[in-house]
Amino acid sequence: AGAGPTPFFVPADSTALHGGRLETCGRRGWVGPMPATTAVRGAAGARDGLRRAMDRGLPPHGIRLVSTDAQGSDHHAHGVRGVIRGGNLSLLAQGCAGQGRHGFDEPTIALIEEVHEPAYHIDGLLQELLRGGWFRNVRAIALGSWLDCADTETIANIVEDNLHGLGIPIAYGFDFGHGPQASTVPLGVRGRLDIDDGGATLECGASPTNKERKDID
């Protein structure tokens, strides 16, 4: 009794659990690589990041991800702030259709990644999120890995064709999701996204509130 909530660590394949836990219980969690895969066993960066998050929780300065890939975005972004949400594209689209989700009630930075999906399916999934109003109050989008989906240029073209009309910054090339160096990232915490010609920086949970720290540590 009095120990507080149990920290919640699950891969992006459990996107629906993250969304439901945050929306219905107000509880934050971590999305990271699957421990019983080569994504952790064979990648020191992914393994160390997961272990560090499990052992130490959210550091005071938050989690900082850096991408040097500015491809596809013609929007510079300086200090775009919002709550970090998102996950696996297929599961986000399923949740949007099944739960009648129509966006968010507060400014949001959306994290999106996918694995083992053909290009035409990614196109359809993004359209499904758009039709369902999922991007309401999304102020910026950070894209993770697209393992075994399509080449980088094809993904960029699909994303831009579908999401350019939102008029918000889109950052590419972050290492969350199913890639071989998948980072462990907190969801449901406040974040900041900056984009310039050299790439992008995503900060998750910098200077968290007491409630954010209590939920996620």
Side-chain angles (χ1 to χ4, degrees):
T6 301
F8 188 61
F9 291 84
V10 297
D13 298 59
S14 300
T15 291
L17 293 179
H18 268 299
R21 192 170 186 266
L22 180 61
E23 299 303 326
T24 63
C25 305
R27 299 300 187 191
R28 297 154 182 84
W30 296 83
V31 62
M34 287 187 177
T37 64
T38 54
V40 170
R41 296 197 307 269
R47 184 172 63 250
D48 293 347
L50 177 59
R51 181 181 292 120
R52 185 165 52 248
M54 296 180 70
D55 290 345
R56 305 177 189 175
L58 187 64
H61 57 274
I63 303 295
R64 188 171 187 263
L65 304 182
V66 176
S67 169
T68 58
D69 184 2
Q71 178 179 357
S73 180
D74 57 2
H75 297 281
H76 282 200
H78 301 286
V80 178
R81 298 179 184 274
V83 176
I84 302 294
R85 289 187 171 93
N88 179 263
L89 175 60
S90 298
L91 297 177
L92 290 173
Q94 289 177 21
C96 182
Q99 300 174 17
R101 148 107 14 229
H102 298 292
F104 304 99
D105 296 329
E106 57 192 336
T108 295
I109 296 176
L111 276 56
I112 300 176
E113 60 83 33
E114 189 52 274
V115 60
H116 301 316
E117 292 289 352
Y120 74 89
H121 195 195
I122 292 172
D123 182 73
L125 292 169
L126 290 173
Q127 291 181 31
E128 190 166 343
L129 288 182
L130 284 167
R131 288 194 299 269
W134 189 85
F135 290 100
R136 182 176 64 84
N137 253 342
V138 171
R139 302 297 173 84
I141 299 169
L143 301 178
S145 62
W146 301 86
L147 186 64
D148 296 334
C149 291
D151 60 83
T152 302
E153 184 177 358
T154 298
I155 294 297
N157 288 337
I158 293 172
V159 170
E160 290 296 319
D161 286 347
N162 283 283
L163 304 185
H164 181 81
L166 295 173
I168 60 177
I170 301 173
Y172 292 74
F174 288 105
D175 60 2
F176 61 84
H178 287 80
Q181 292 291 340
S183 298
T184 300
V185 182
L187 295 181
V189 299
R190 294 174 300 168
R192 168 179 168 144
L193 181 67
D194 293 280
I195 307 174
D196 58 30
D197 290 332
T201 301
L202 176 66
E203 297 179 358
C204 308
S207 301
T209 65
N210 289 336
K211 178 172 174 53
E212 286 174 336
R213 182 172 294 287
K214 180 180 178 182
D215 283 351
I216 205 166
D217 284 355

